[in-house]
Amino acid sequence: MTDSKMKHTDAITLLKKEHRNVEAAFAQYEELGLYAHVGKQKSADKICAELILHSQLVEKLFDAKVKVLPEYIEQHVNEEEIEMFPLMKKSKLDLLLLGEKLIERKLQLSRC
């Protein structure tokens, strides 16, 4: 997007474009092979940088989100604990293996 086009872009359009960019970065990460450690690290670094930049931008523009955030978090927790977790327990998922993968991913993300 050129500078002149960016100056005439409304906030919602700009933020949606950023969302699509992050989604594309996640898709690229997922497309990398199982052993593409270097590529995945670079991709994860890019995703982290984009998310940090986006959150800082939105925080400055929309201070009201601080008031909404606790409600969002509560809704998210309820969706997971009330809807998803019971389904996971009933499924044939290997929850121990999934737990190990979650811990591994959390460690990767915390390095960003």
Side-chain angles (χ1 to χ4, degrees), residues 39-56:
K40 284 190 171 192
Q41 184 62 52
K42 287 180 181 179
S43 184
D45 291 344
K46 179 182 175 184
I47 290 168
C48 289
E50 289 288 331
L51 290 172
I52 290 167
L53 179 63
H54 179 77
S55 64
Q56 290 172 342

Side-chain angles (χ1 to χ4, degrees), residues 3 13 20 22 28 42 56 61 66-67 69 88-89 93-94 107-108 110:
D3 286 341
T13 301
R20 300 302 82 81
V22 171
Q28 289 174 343
K42 287 180 181 179
Q56 290 172 342
L61 292 175
V66 173
K67 295 175 185 170
L69 188 58
M88 290 170 67
K89 286 180 181 178
L93 284 173
D94 183 341
L107 289 172
Q108 287 174 344
S110 67

Side-chain angles (χ1 to χ4, degrees), residues 92-109:
K92 295 181 180 181
L93 284 173
D94 183 341
L95 295 177
L96 291 175
L97 178 61
L98 183 58
E100 290 173 9
K101 289 182 181 242
L102 287 171
I103 291 168
E104 180 181 309
R105 182 69 180 133
K106 184 176 180 179
L107 289 172
Q108 287 174 344
L109 292 173

Side-chain angles (χ1 to χ4, degrees), residues 8-23:
H8 299 290
T9 302
D10 68 81
I12 292 172
T13 301
L14 179 63
L15 294 173
K16 282 185 173 183
K17 184 177 183 339
E18 287 194 8
H19 292 166
R20 300 302 82 81
N21 289 342
V22 171
E23 288 170 349

Side-chain angles (χ1 to χ4, degrees), residues 27-79:
Q28 289 174 343
Y29 178 90
E30 292 298 325
E31 289 174 3
L32 294 171
L34 181 62
Y35 301 104
H37 302 293
V38 173
K40 284 190 171 192
Q41 184 62 52
K42 287 180 181 179
S43 184
D45 291 344
K46 179 182 175 184
I47 290 168
C48 289
E50 289 288 331
L51 290 172
I52 290 167
L53 179 63
H54 179 77
S55 64
Q56 290 172 342
L57 176 64
V58 172
E59 183 179 342
K60 295 294 182 191
L61 292 175
F62 303 108
D63 287 332
K65 89 172 188 177
V66 173
K67 295 175 185 170
V68 174
L69 188 58
E71 295 170 17
Y72 172 77
I73 292 171
E74 182 179 351
Q75 178 185 355
H76 174 81
V77 168
N78 286 337
E79 285 176 0

